[in-house]
Amino acid sequence: MHMKALPPEIVQFFRRQPFVIVSTVDSDNTPHNSCKGIVDIDEKGTVYILDLYRKNTLANLKRNPNISITAVDEHKFVGYCLKGIAAIVDKKLLTPRIIKAWEKRLAGRITHRLLKNIKDESVKGHTRHPESLFPKPEYMISVKVSEIVSLTPSHIK
């Protein structure tokens, strides 16, 4: 499988996303989808994701490393799916840079939720700031992207 370089606009698109949908394959060969946060993404074609709960996604990737990462911006009517092969990176190998990047993303999410709650008092979000209750990362998923699928309808591009 050939790793695919990512255009700067796709890298920036994924960096702006508060979360992505990660799809793996369950033991019965059906799709399993879960929300995850991207820690980093580079133009070489690698995406770094922290999976905090060590459940289905981890078990699925141990059996079958095929993965897809999907994000959409419904306001701009743009989206992408990145397909590739995942590797599990143990906690001991998580660099201080990766941990710091995750903490920065987490602080950004909490700040965004807080500001949104203040700005739009008629629509309150979750009051307990669930991000502050996330467990510490035990491992990271590193994905080598092999295919980019645009989810933007062709007549809009």
Side-chain angles (χ1 to χ4, degrees), residues 77 152-157:
F77 222 76
T152 307
S154 58
H155 69 282
I156 294 177
K157 290 182 186 177

Side-chain angles (χ1 to χ4, degrees), residues 46-88:
T46 306
V47 182
Y48 303 95
I49 301 168
L50 284 181
D51 181 13
L52 302 176
Y53 296 104
R54 300 184 65 94
K55 291 234 171 182
N56 296 27
T57 301
L58 178 61
N60 290 345
L61 291 174
K62 285 181 176 180
R63 272 191 311 275
N64 180 342
N66 288 296
I67 190 169
S68 69
I69 303 164
T70 304
V72 296
D73 180 330
E74 79 174 307
H75 183 69
K76 293 182 180 176
F77 222 76
V78 173
Y80 299 96
C81 176
L82 306 177
K83 295 181 181 183
I85 299 295
I88 305 300

Side-chain angles (χ1 to χ4, degrees), residues 2-133:
H2 178 66
M3 190 159 89
K4 183 135 184 104
L6 301 175
E9 64 272 11
I10 290 179
V11 170
Q12 289 308 313
F13 175 83
F14 276 91
R15 283 186 178 154
R16 287 191 306 268
Q17 302 309 310
F19 70 93
V20 294
I21 304 296
V22 171
S23 300
T24 57
V25 181
D26 272 333
S27 59
D28 64 358
N29 288 323
T30 59
H32 170 76
N33 302 308
S34 58
C35 297
K36 306 286 182 214
I38 288 182
V39 175
D40 200 8
I41 180 171
D42 64 41
E43 291 180 7
K44 295 177 193 166
T46 306
V47 182
Y48 303 95
I49 301 168
L50 284 181
D51 181 13
L52 302 176
Y53 296 104
R54 300 184 65 94
K55 291 234 171 182
N56 296 27
T57 301
L58 178 61
N60 290 345
L61 291 174
K62 285 181 176 180
R63 272 191 311 275
N64 180 342
N66 288 296
I67 190 169
S68 69
I69 303 164
T70 304
V72 296
D73 180 330
E74 79 174 307
H75 183 69
K76 293 182 180 176
F77 222 76
V78 173
Y80 299 96
C81 176
L82 306 177
K83 295 181 181 183
I85 299 295
I88 305 300
V89 180
D90 189 79
K91 178 170 121 176
K92 293 178 285 220
L93 301 175
L94 297 181
T95 65
R97 184 188 72 76
I98 292 291
I99 297 297
K100 190 166 188 81
W102 173 246
E103 289 170 351
K104 184 177 177 182
R105 294 278 297 196
L106 201 54
R109 285 182 58 146
I110 291 170
T111 302
H112 177 76
R113 181 183 301 278
L114 205 69
L115 292 175
K116 195 168 183 174
N117 283 353
I118 292 168
K119 183 178 171 186
D120 190 358
E121 291 186 21
S122 65
V123 182
K124 286 290 183 192
H126 199 289
T127 56
R128 292 184 51 208
H129 307 292
E131 294 89 351
S132 66
L133 303 172

